[in-house]
Amino acid sequence: MVQLNRITQQPNVMGGKACIRGMRVTVGMIVGQIGAGHSFEEILADYPYLEREDIMQALRYAA
């Protein structure tokens, strides 16, 4: 079983959507960035508070 310890869902953060570590960065936003052709490096440069594992877990969650 894959552990998704970086994905959180809290009713008071982004309306309860799946987010990264309680931040206002949703799994959907990350998946959308990947779908638009952005690389991990580009996402990490745009969102310096994210880590590579955050992106990996977002993709696993979405799958």
Side-chain angles (χ1 to χ4, degrees):
M1 172 117 191
V2 176
Q3 207 168 9
L4 299 173
N5 58 345
R6 293 174 181 250
I7 307 299
T8 58
Q9 287 182 285
Q10 301 168 340
N12 60 334
V13 178
M14 299 300 286
K17 292 180 181 176
C19 293
I20 303 300
R21 295 184 281 132
M23 294 186 278
R24 300 181 80 72
V25 177
T26 65
V27 167
M29 185 279 299
I30 291 176
V31 171
Q33 292 285 313
I34 295 291
H38 296 276
S39 68
F40 278 34
E41 289 73 26
E42 290 171 318
I43 295 169
L44 293 171
D46 289 343
Y47 302 93
Y49 41 84
L50 290 179
E51 298 172 6
R52 187 172 197 81
E53 184 60 24
D54 295 328
I55 299 171
M56 292 297 298
Q57 285 195 24
L59 294 174
R60 285 187 205 118
Y61 179 87

